[in-house]
Every structure is written in structure tokens, then in C-alpha cells.
Amino acid sequence: MDPLDNLLNSVEYKRREPLPEGFEGRVLDKWFNQQPIKKKDYTVFAYAAAACLVAFTCINILSLNVLNQSTSNDVSANSHTTIQISSETEFAEAYGFVETASYYTLNK
Amino acid sequence: MKIDAEYIAGLKSSDRKSYAEFVGVFASRIYNIALNILQNKEEAEEVAQDVFMKIFQSIESFDGSCSLKTWIYRITVNKSLDALRAKKRKASLSVFSNFFNEEGEEKIVAIEVNHPGIQLEQQEEAEILFSAIDKLPERQKTVFVLYQFEDMSYKEIATTLEISASAVDSLMSRAKKQLREYLTTLSYGSIR
């Protein structure tokens, strides 16, 4: 008979060995004792994300302030206009003078 | 026995009772597969623990492309082979791990078999058998162990290892042929 088959037939061993004592408890303890470490890592990331958001917001606010300043300066620079005046009446109207008796009396 | 979806839901719930139930159902098979590949109960226990950690960590990414049982056995085989490779790397660094007979051929060294299922009176024969199995290439060894010691069918082995059934058949044939050659080298027939 085939020596390999002989050997396989002669070596009788249990097909299902019992688990080492306490194995299941050790597996569960190992897994559940790891969990707090995972939570801590998550908190660190949350704080880092919040800090980035605050920094981003501050930069945006500062940028908007700078933009507003430069825009108002541009408006001041463009506020001067030229008005063509051809008569005394037009001059008075352009500069908001009110016709009064003393003004006209003085010039006549 | 629950269906796959119930076990998966239990593991995703992070409920210790569900985990305990899952471990209770699969621990024996996982431990015995590792034991038959590694032939050492301390190493098998360590691998079995690693397998469960891997399952718990990866359950969210399990896509159901195979059965839960197949996925678990696949992890078990891979972890066992990883441990086996690590053990062989350590052994190869040892001065006394290999020695040659007068003709320069490698001699099979009977390794200590720490398999709790081996009866004392069969220890010598078991050592010879497991030494020869240990010499097999990884894939042949895995297929042989799963078929011979785990009573898995060729189809189950093919699904677990993600190879074809004909590949399993081929690996088994080559494994048996190689084992017979090793036993002939040892003149095993004369031992009996």
C-alpha cells in the first residue's frame, strides 16, 4: 500500500482541537480595549479641522476689510466732476446757491 | 445558525454580546486551520487572534462578493501563511536550520510537532508526516492541509483561495507526489 496513505491513516489526530482556555475572552478584551484609542484620534482631527476653519474665516474677514478700503478710496478719487457754466444762474444752480435779494442787489 | 447579514449587522453594531456570539461560532475553525498550517498551538492562537482583529477592522469594507465563511477562511489562510513565512525567515538565519548529508543533498530534519491532537505513541510518525508537509511549497501545503485536515471540498478550497478547481486538483496531485518522494528519501517504508 502507498506509504503516504499508510501514514495518513495511521496518524490519528482529533480533527477539531479545543480552543485554548480563555481564548474568546482574550479576543474580545483585545478588541474592545483598543476602541478608546480610536476615539481619541477622532477628537484630535475634529479640533484641527475647527482651527483651520477659524483661521480661514479670519483671513477672509481681513481680506474683505482690505478690499473695502481700496474700493472707498476709488470712489473718493472719482467723485470730482467738471461742470460747464455759461451763466450766473447756471453757476448758482450747480453749486447750490439760493437766490437771495441781498446777492442780486449787491451785484446790480 | 444565523445568516451572514445578521452576523455582519452584529459586528457593525459594536455590541460586545454580538461580537462574543460571532467569536463563539467561528473561533474553533479558525484556530484549527491555523494549527494545521503552523503545527504549533501558541503560534496558532496568536494568528487566530490576529484574524479576528482583521475581521473586526475590515467588516465595514466587506462587499458580500463571497460568503462570510469564505472571506473568514481566506483571511485565516493568509494570516497563517504570513506567520509561516516569518517563521521560516527567522529559521533561515539560524546556523543550525539546514545541514547537508555527504552527497550534498538537503536532509529532512524532523521538526518538533507541538500539535495537541497527536497521540504520544504516534509522535514519531506524526513528526515525519508534518516535517514532509512543512517542506511543501506554500500553495501545495495550503491545499493539502485544507483538504486533508479540514475536510474541505475542492470547490470550497478553490473559492477560499480564489483559484480554479482544476488548479486545486493539480496542486493536490503535486503535493502528494512530492510527499511520496520525501518519504522515499527518508526510506520511510523501513521505519515501519
Side-chain angles (χ1 to χ4, degrees), chain B residues 36-164:
Chain B
N36 281 317
I37 291 176
L38 295 165
Q39 299 167 27
N40 180 285
K41 60 180 181 178
E42 283 80 21
E43 292 170 3
E45 182 180 348
E46 196 176 326
V47 163
Q49 284 199 12
D50 288 346
V51 168
F52 277 110
M53 294 304 113
K54 177 70 178 174
I55 290 168
F56 298 156
Q57 286 163 6
S58 308
I59 194 65
E60 295 287 344
S61 61
F62 174 64
D63 58 8
S65 56
C66 61
S67 72
L68 185 64
K69 189 175 84 170
T70 299
W71 184 64
I72 290 168
Y73 294 163
R74 195 176 289 157
I75 294 173
T76 306
V77 167
N78 289 336
K79 286 284 183 189
S80 300
L81 292 179
D82 287 345
L84 197 63
R85 287 174 203 136
K87 189 164 82 168
K88 285 187 175 175
R89 275 198 297 273
K90 262 191 197 171
S92 69
L93 296 174
S94 167
V95 175
F96 303 104
S97 61
N98 292 299
F99 63 92
F100 296 88
N101 62 19
E102 289 175 359
E103 286 76 35
E105 293 168 0
E106 192 175 338
K107 186 172 172 179
I108 294 175
V109 178
I111 59 173
E112 183 184 336
V113 175
N114 186 7
H115 194 302
I118 303 298
Q119 304 300 320
L120 194 59
E121 55 272 19
Q122 298 167 330
Q123 195 71 29
E124 185 188 350
E125 287 171 338
E127 282 180 5
I128 292 167
L129 174 62
F130 284 111
S131 292
I133 292 171
D134 200 49
K135 282 288 178 189
L136 290 173
E138 258 179 30
R139 281 155 61 91
Q140 288 179 26
K141 179 177 181 175
T142 304
V143 167
F144 187 84
V145 161
L146 291 178
Y147 179 77
Q148 199 65 42
F149 304 150
E150 294 301 318
D151 289 333
M152 290 172 78
S153 67
Y154 277 20
K155 189 180 171 189
E156 284 176 314
I157 295 171
T159 310
T160 300
L161 301 182
E162 296 179 286
I163 57 177
S164 64

Side-chain angles (χ1 to χ4, degrees), chain A residues 66-88:
Chain A
V66 169
L67 191 63
N68 280 339
Q69 277 291 343
S70 64
T71 304
S72 64
N73 288 339
D74 289 341
V75 168
S76 301
N78 293 326
S79 66
H80 300 292
T81 55
T82 304
I83 301 171
Q84 295 291 332
I85 305 294
S86 58
S87 70
E88 183 181 279

Side-chain angles (χ1 to χ4, degrees), chain A residues 1 18 21 24 27 30 41 71 75 81 84 89 95-96 106:
Chain A
M1 198 177 167
E21 197 175 323
E24 295 179 25
V27 167
K30 189 173 180 180
D41 286 342
T71 304
V75 168
T81 55
Q84 295 291 332
T89 309
Y95 287 93
L106 192 63

